[in-house]
Amino acid sequence: MATLLRPVVRRLRGLRGLPGLLQLAAEMPLRARSDGAGAGAGPLYLHHIPTSPLQKALLAAGSAAMALYDPYRHDMVAVLGETTGHRTLKVLRDRMRRDPEGAQILQERPRISTSTLDLGKLQSLPEGSLGREYLRFLDVNRVSPDTRAPTRFVDDEELAYVIQRYREVHDMLHTLLGMPTNILGEIVVKWFEAVQTGLPMCILGALFGPIQLSAQSLQVLVLELIPWAVQNGRRAPCVLNLYYERRWEQSLRALREELGITAPPVHIQGLA
């Protein structure tokens, strides 16, 4: 343990305040690899970095601090999810195994990226279809499915796919819920995800994300949007069990009805 902690302690001594600690958290993934973590156990999948329980705890603490300090550090949010969600990922995996559509996803391992999406086909789909509305969401909010970080710190190949799938359908949930990518929209989606998945990272984001909101937005969130997101999260079946790629032609309205997802109580595009 002393050998493992020595480089970390040496760096901590040279830090000055919070910015230095956050920088250390950002560098921890590379340090874990260079320090020979998980000796005797090679990578289980592409991008995998084997880490010990202590290293995972250090990564979780550092990434949590960084994510709270800067919610747009998606790499730190990803590390937090991987280092704190092992038990929850097992529960989600088992829920997928018990569902026919979810089991098929686990077996076939579809991925969502610009290299796997037929953007021309999505563009040609009818107005109101899931595929067309998902593409519209990407265009309007200027986001790309390629920005999702690869899984690195989950020491189980199947669970690594589960959390990767969760990340890659995140924008699909924005589309289903009708939420933009501003801070308020992201917090609402995090509340829905927290109820749906139970992932610690989602719960933390839902609880601490609102500290950045204006008084007006906070009031709308607490009085209207959180109750709506929680109700929809509880009512909808597990959203990881949806093979979205085979539902592109389904109307978004019909899919929402199938899942029991209702329209947002307020329009939040102009709120932040």
Side-chain angles (χ1 to χ4, degrees), residues 7-8 11 23-37 47 49-51 55 59 75-76 79 152-153:
V8 179
R11 181 61 188 276
Q23 182 61 34
L24 173 62
E27 293 176 0
M28 276 300 296
L30 296 177
R31 188 172 299 280
R33 171 179 283 178
S34 62
D35 287 343
H47 302 300
I49 301 176
T51 47
Q55 287 174 314
L59 285 165
D75 54 342
M76 291 293 100
V79 172
R152 293 176 292 176
F153 300 108

Side-chain angles (χ1 to χ4, degrees), residues 9-172:
V9 172
R10 186 184 310 121
R11 181 61 188 276
L12 284 173
R13 287 173 178 169
L15 298 180
R16 294 184 178 180
L18 182 60
L21 179 59
L22 297 177
Q23 182 61 34
L24 173 62
E27 293 176 0
M28 276 300 296
L30 296 177
R31 188 172 299 280
R33 171 179 283 178
S34 62
D35 287 343
L44 300 176
Y45 51 86
L46 185 64
H47 302 300
H48 178 224
I49 301 176
T51 47
S52 69
L54 177 57
Q55 287 174 314
K56 281 185 171 59
L58 292 171
L59 285 165
S63 59
M66 189 61 167
L68 290 173
Y69 181 76
D70 181 2
Y72 289 100
R73 281 297 302 269
H74 299 299
D75 54 342
M76 291 293 100
V77 175
V79 172
L80 179 62
E82 294 174 26
T83 53
T84 61
H86 186 75
R87 292 184 179 180
T88 308
L89 288 174
K90 285 184 175 181
V91 174
L92 291 172
R93 186 268 315 276
D94 292 343
R95 290 172 68 182
M96 294 180 73
R97 284 179 173 178
R98 292 192 296 267
D99 183 88
E101 201 166 346
Q104 189 173 20
I105 293 170
L106 284 177
Q107 181 180 9
E108 298 180 3
R109 306 286 179 89
R111 299 293 302 273
I112 298 177
S113 68
T114 53
S115 63
T116 62
L117 295 174
D118 187 339
L119 299 180
K121 178 181 178 181
L122 296 183
Q123 184 66 42
S124 68
L125 291 175
E127 289 285 342
S129 63
L130 173 64
R132 186 69 176 271
E133 294 306 313
Y134 171 67
L135 187 61
R136 188 195 311 279
F137 167 83
L138 296 179
D139 291 340
V140 169
N141 294 280
R142 299 180 181 180
V143 294
S144 167
D146 294 336
T147 58
R148 303 303 168 191
T151 307
R152 293 176 292 176
F153 300 108
V154 177
D155 298 329
D156 181 286
E157 187 268 341
E158 189 172 40
L159 297 183
Y161 174 75
V162 172
I163 197 166
Q164 188 71 44
R165 181 67 175 177
Y166 154 75
R167 288 176 189 162
E168 293 180 2
V169 303
H170 175 78
D171 290 337
M172 214 72 68

